[in-house]
């Protein structure tokens, strides 16, 4: 959609009292105009959240940083190999890019956003959760996430509502 459509949409959302915009997708960072969209949202008074797989975050962050309050990054396993097995082709690269971004973010003097790591728990990674928690909260030398959110995935059709758990690191 052209930027004019976002201006129109954001104006309508403000009129009805919406205060937060989540830029998500697919993958929102593949959009060449993502910085412009985030800027428009911020200029209209929204809190801007970005939900990403993390692959393009480092290269986009410098221009995106002034407009974003929260970054949510998907990370499901504790090693590049297990992340590849869990998420498919590109999972190992995604794992490395996330850790690179956390290291880069830790080095910044000005941290404009909080970071949430999001993990979907399935049969494939349930036995890896302790190792993942140790990695992201203790072992990796980059920025420790402000929140680590665990999402329960149900591969059964049921009336139960999926439950989310979160670990706040502050």
């Amino acid at each position: 959609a052209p930027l004019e459509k976002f201006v129109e949409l954001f104006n309508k959302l403000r009129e009805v009292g919406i205060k937060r915009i989540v830029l998500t997708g697919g993958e929102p960072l593949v959009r060449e105009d993502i910085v412009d969209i985030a800027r428009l949202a911020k200029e209209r008074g929204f809190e801007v959240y970005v939900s990403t797989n993390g692959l393009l975050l480092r290269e986009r962050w410098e221009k995106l940083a002034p407009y974003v309050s929260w970054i949510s990054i998907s990370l499901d396993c504790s090693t590049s190999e297990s992340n590849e097995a869990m998420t498919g082709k590109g999972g190992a690269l995604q794992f490395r890019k996330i850790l690179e971004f956390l290291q880069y973010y830790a080095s910044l003097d000005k941290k404009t956003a909080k970071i949430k790591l999001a993990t979907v728990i399935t049969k494939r990674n349930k036995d890896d959760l302790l190792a993942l928690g140790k990695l992201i909260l203790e072992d990796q030398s980059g920025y420790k996430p402000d929140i680590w959110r665990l999402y329960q995935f149900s591969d059964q059709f049921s009336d139960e509502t999926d439950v989310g758990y979160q670990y706040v690191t502050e």
Side-chain angles (χ1 to χ4, degrees):
L3 283 178
E4 299 78 39
K5 291 285 185 189
F6 283 98
V7 171
E8 187 180 312
L9 174 65
F10 292 160
N11 289 340
K12 286 179 182 176
L13 291 173
R14 283 306 296 169
E15 286 174 21
V16 297
I18 302 295
K19 295 184 169 117
R20 178 183 305 150
I21 296 290
V22 180
L23 303 176
T24 188
E27 174 53 47
L29 299 184
V30 298
R31 288 189 65 113
E32 291 300 320
D33 60 352
I34 193 65
V35 173
D36 294 326
I37 294 168
R39 180 184 46 76
L40 287 171
K42 181 81 171 186
E43 285 172 352
R44 277 151 186 78
F46 293 106
E47 268 190 287
V48 178
Y49 288 45
V50 173
S51 180
T52 177
N53 63 21
L55 283 168
L56 299 172
L57 194 51
R58 170 63 186 92
E59 66 188 68
R60 302 264 185 186
W61 183 248
E62 196 173 311
K63 291 180 179 174
L64 203 54
Y67 313 114
V68 176
S69 301
W70 275 91
I71 313 160
S72 178
I73 308 169
S74 304
L75 183 62
D76 294 319
C77 295
S78 65
T79 67
S80 60
E81 297 79 20
S82 59
N83 208 60
E84 180 97 8
M86 171 85 175
T87 62
K89 187 173 167 99
L93 177 62
Q94 178 210 17
F95 179 87
R96 289 191 303 274
K97 290 282 195 174
I98 290 167
L99 293 185
E100 284 172 16
F101 177 77
L102 294 175
Q103 201 138 40
Y104 161 74
Y105 200 69
S107 73
L108 296 178
D109 291 333
K110 188 172 183 187
K111 293 170 183 60
T112 56
K114 297 205 179 250
I115 295 178
K116 174 179 80 171
L117 289 183
T119 301
V120 176
I121 304 168
T122 71
K123 290 176 185 174
R124 288 167 149 190
N125 69 344
K126 66 182 175 56
D127 295 329
D128 190 42
L129 294 177
L130 289 177
L132 179 57
K134 187 172 183 330
L135 171 74
I136 63 174
L137 301 174
E138 296 174 17
D139 294 347
Q140 61 97 9
S141 59
Y143 187 86
K144 307 299 187 245
D146 297 285
I147 292 177
W148 178 32
R149 179 114 168 123
L150 305 173
Y151 298 92
Q152 177 183 345
F153 175 78
S154 173
D155 57 358
Q156 305 286 323
F157 291 104
S158 72
D159 293 331
E160 288 183 50
T161 303
D162 286 343
V163 178
Y165 306 91
Q166 75 182 24
Y167 179 84
V168 179
T169 59
E170 296 177 327

